[in-house]
Amino acid sequence: MIIIGEKLNGAIPLVAQAIAKRDGQCIRELAKRQADAGADFIDICASVDQGEAETLKWMIEQVESVTDVPVSIGSPSTEVLVEVYRFCNKPGLFNSTSMEKRKQIEQIFHIMKEQSGWRAIAMLCDDAGIPKSVEERLSVFDAIMEKAKAHGIDPARIYIDPMAEAAALMDPEQEDGPGISVYTKVVGAIRRKYPTIHIISAISNISYQLPARKYMNGSLAALALAYGVDSGILNPLSRELLGVIKASEALLALPTKAFEQLINAVKENRGKGNGLLKLEGFEDEEGQKALEQAATVLAMGAGADVKLPTTDRNLNGMVYAARALLGRDEDGHCLEYIKAYKHGLFGV
Amino acid sequence: MSKIQRIADAVEMGTAKQVAVLVMKALNEGCDPTEILNRGMVDAMGVVGEKYRSNEIFVPEMLAAARAMKKGVEILRPYLATGKSASAGKMILGTVAGDLHDIGKNLVGMMIESVGFEVIDLGIDVPIEKFIKAVEANPDAILVGCSALLTTTKRSLRETVVALNSQPFRSRIKIMVGGAPITQAFADEIGADGYSENAAEAAELAKRLAGLV
């Protein structure tokens, strides 16, 4: 997974403070730590009332002074993106544009035409908001691709954000299926149509307003990868999340037969069945745990059921989260997940 | 346990189907529709809001309760005499111009409806004139709620509230504002009547501003 490190965001109080005090040390450290953890881009977002461009410029200087990892410039304002990208020594990522009129997607594509290294995240929304149905969301996608084509932008330079909405707010009666099915259907359709395009998700959004967020984030990351997402805006400093991502990737890269055997092992509730895999960069036990969790969630995504609760609290968290995301939560929208959490089956 | 209490429990539990069945039963057995609404559902949502504020329950549980109540109200509606409307008042709600976020605003709308208000939702990216026209078109509106989720649309929120403040209808409405970057201090500064941090508080605030508590 291409990782966009999300930690340098002014919406985080510690970062807001560093920005206000122009504490470069704090920004540089967070940039360095994310780069060391394997981030492919360092996202920066100012979240200030005034002087956004100037703040971003300062943040770019801090980040570029400690790492070669390119910057992802986060701003809801296209004017600011256009003003600020010139300050980067290395081409990065525009975060983000969309089909909203005020985002002027053409302006971003125009810059990308001139500056061949720059890439952009494009969200699947327009002036009517985030479309509820698969069909409408895909028609926003088509509109984006039409603009890209008109500017001669290679799909491989575009990061489509299909908009995974907070699980806590999912409507159990939504059309196009329960749980994250609108999202997975959109991802699948795009991946089939454009093998080289990037599909990105802000992983932590899924767990907004929910307890024990890491399980929701981890489950979504695994499922997203299975459907064809290849990039994530996330916290690279979370070893657990990174473990599940690396494990999911390793499992999804297995030959079909080996993957099926693994799924069957989980279906038969043996859980493990992946003792042969080793996760690079992780201690044996840490890696095995991550593989077990990823295998379980991926198997659930492929239709398997897991008897609950298991004896492993971390696995419980992942399984209940996956059930909610896959719309198998009988009470609808995350209620079963919350009940299990309150019963102490996972979490603190 | 009384029938009304059963309805209240089902609303609190967020079991929509059960609420629907219980409301129908209560109606068949001659319960007063207004009583079912106020004692059975609005009061139960008050309890739900309180539990959310004290971190006893999470957003999905609050949402499930609001949805369950909505199911009950749908069944109840034909029985509520239009003359003695049980509505606590009418509210105009929207996310300000330039801002497309509707999750928080929708949650606020649901919670405010659940404490008895009628909510007219203008949607997202609402221009100032649309807020003004909506208040003019609804002479019985007593509340206007404006939401802004971005630091960059705080300016838009300020312009909206300032514009509303200069309207001749200002004295008959109360303005409430909210959204992630908004604070009480900012609400005071731009001349809004109230600010709330979350949807449950917004429902309480609406009642307070409408003079109901």
Side-chain angles (χ1 to χ4, degrees):
Chain A
M1 187 178 255
I2 298 169
I3 293 170
I4 291 85
E6 70 182 4
K7 297 298 281 182
L8 284 179
N9 191 322
I12 301 169
L14 180 86
V15 178
Q17 220 176 33
I19 289 172
K21 287 194 215 147
R22 288 293 184 269
D23 174 0
Q25 174 79 19
C26 171
I27 304 294
R28 291 193 295 274
E29 240 168 62
L30 271 170
K32 183 85 173 51
R33 283 175 61 204
Q34 293 185 91
D36 290 346
D40 300 287
F41 291 91
I42 307 288
D43 189 62
I44 52 167
C45 178
S47 281
V48 289
D49 297 350
Q50 278 158 358
E52 189 187 3
E54 190 273 319
T55 305
L56 287 168
K57 178 173 184 268
W58 173 77
M59 290 174 87
I60 291 167
E61 284 162 11
Q62 304 310 311
V63 174
E64 289 193 337
S65 72
V66 289
T67 177
D68 288 331
V69 174
V71 165
S72 152
I73 310 173
S75 171
S77 156
T78 300
E79 287 75 26
V80 170
L81 292 177
V82 168
E83 187 182 339
V84 164
Y85 88 94
R86 300 167 221 263
F87 301 126
C88 294
N89 289 327
K90 247 183 134 166
L93 182 66
F94 290 114
N95 179 15
S96 59
T97 187
S98 76
M99 284 308 287
E100 296 160 63
K101 268 191 212 80
R102 67 193 171 86
K103 294 271 186 175
Q104 308 161 65
I105 195 165
E106 278 109 341
Q107 216 179 324
I108 295 292
F109 285 161
H110 181 71
I111 293 172
M112 286 168 68
K113 193 176 173 184
E114 311 282 308
Q115 309 277 337
S116 63
W118 277 84
R119 289 140 283 187
I121 297 177
M123 302 187 290
L124 296 190
C125 61
D126 58 17
D127 287 321
I130 303 170
K132 295 259 179 289
S133 75
V134 173
E135 197 190 334
E136 291 168 309
R137 230 176 271 196
L138 286 174
S139 83
V140 176
F141 171 72
D142 289 339
I144 290 172
M145 295 317 287
E146 210 171 285
K147 302 259 184 214
K149 198 173 169 194
H151 286 80
I153 308 292
D154 182 346
R157 294 171 65 200
I158 299 174
Y159 289 68
I160 294 291
D161 182 347
M163 312 296 270
E165 288 164 286
L169 306 167
M170 290 184 307
D171 182 348
E173 287 170 14
Q174 69 199 355
E175 26 173 340
D176 286 347
I180 55 168
S181 53
V182 172
Y183 167 80
T184 53
K185 284 174 189 166
V186 170
V187 170
I190 294 174
R191 181 49 76 218
R192 281 191 293 278
K193 217 164 159 186
Y194 289 89
T196 64
I197 204 165
H198 294 290
I199 309 179
I200 190 166
S201 281
I203 300 294
S204 328
N205 282 0
I206 197 77
S207 57
Y208 169 74
Q209 294 284 358
L210 287 172
R213 296 183 66 163
K214 65 176 178 183
Y215 300 114
M216 276 285 167
N217 298 348
S219 273
L220 177 73
L223 292 169
L225 281 165
Y227 282 96
V229 168
D230 72 339
S231 318
I233 304 176
L234 52 89
N235 174 11
L237 304 181
S238 163
R239 288 287 292 174
E240 282 163 309
L241 180 58
L242 222 53
V244 171
I245 290 170
K246 299 280 176 218
S248 302
E249 285 175 330
L251 294 168
L252 290 164
L254 287 175
T256 317
K257 191 138 185 251
F259 185 72
E260 275 167 9
Q261 277 170 353
L262 186 71
I263 302 301
N264 285 332
V266 175
K267 273 185 185 159
E268 286 160 27
N269 224 8
R270 284 187 279 119
K272 305 210 162 57
N274 47 35
L276 293 177
L277 277 172
K278 229 179 108 48
L279 218 49
E280 210 179 310
F282 286 81
E283 297 293 326
D284 278 356
E285 201 186 330
E286 197 186 17
Q288 281 309 310
K289 284 265 177 246
L291 281 163
E292 192 185 340
Q293 290 176 13
T296 307
V297 172
L298 291 176
M300 289 175 71
D305 216 351
V306 177
K307 271 212 190 81
L308 280 168
T310 72
T311 50
D312 179 340
R313 289 164 54 82
N314 285 318
L315 191 59
N316 280 342
M318 296 294 280
V319 174
Y320 277 105
R323 283 180 62 84
L325 294 177
L326 292 165
R328 290 192 206 151
D329 194 323
E330 271 166 33
D331 295 325
H333 54 85
C334 304
L335 292 182
E336 212 175 82
Y337 176 82
I338 290 170
K339 212 191 271 171
Y341 168 78
K342 284 183 175 173
H343 283 159
L345 296 178
F346 60 86
V348 278
Chain B
M1 203 185 344
S2 81
K3 290 178 202 73
I4 302 281
Q5 186 57 45
R6 274 205 199 103
I7 294 171
D9 288 349
V11 168
E12 260 191 67
M13 293 294 296
T15 44
K17 278 179 201 150
Q18 213 186 337
V19 170
V21 171
L22 289 171
V23 168
M24 256 185 286
K25 257 189 173 165
L27 284 170
N28 286 340
E29 288 168 25
C31 284
D32 175 16
T34 315
E35 180 87 0
I36 297 177
L37 179 69
N38 290 328
R39 298 282 83 77
M41 297 196 268
V42 174
D43 285 0
M45 282 308 292
V47 174
V48 168
E50 186 49 52
K51 281 189 174 167
Y52 174 70
R53 279 199 299 282
S54 60
N55 297 321
E56 254 181 84
I57 61 168
F58 294 93
V59 164
E61 294 166 291
M62 186 164 82
L63 266 176
R67 289 202 178 102
M69 166 161 171
K70 212 172 169 183
K71 273 264 156 32
V73 172
E74 275 166 23
I75 290 166
L76 212 51
R77 194 167 289 130
Y79 297 87
L80 291 167
T82 42
K84 45 172 188 169
S85 162
S87 169
K90 202 182 261 183
M91 177 187 203
I92 311 285
L93 179 67
T95 303
V96 297
D99 200 321
L100 296 178
H101 292 82
D102 64 354
I103 291 169
K105 185 254 310 157
N106 292 348
L107 206 53
V108 165
M110 281 179 90
M111 283 307 287
I112 288 180
E113 260 178 7
S114 75
V115 292
F117 289 85
E118 181 186 339
V119 175
I120 298 176
D121 190 344
L122 302 180
I124 53 173
D125 195 8
V126 179
I128 295 171
E129 307 75 55
K130 198 166 164 189
F131 275 110
I132 294 174
K133 285 215 176 86
V135 180
E136 286 170 349
N138 292 281
D140 54 342
I142 52 172
L143 292 174
V144 176
C146 307
S147 158
L149 259 293
L150 300 168
T151 49
T152 45
T153 49
K154 270 171 84 176
R155 198 180 321 134
S156 177
L157 178 63
R158 178 196 297 271
E159 287 161 7
T160 306
V161 173
V162 167
L164 286 168
N165 284 346
S166 67
Q167 298 301 312
F169 56 62
R170 180 62 173 95
S171 59
R172 80 165 151 94
I173 57 160
K174 299 279 187 202
I175 301 172
M176 46 196 284
V177 295
I182 312 303
T183 59
Q184 180 68 56
F186 184 75
D188 293 341
E189 189 192 316
I190 63 176
D193 298 302
Y195 157 80
S196 60
E197 205 182 302
N198 57 49
E201 263 174 36
E204 287 306 308
L205 175 65
K207 285 200 280 188
R208 213 161 54 236
L209 290 177
L212 300 176
V213 284

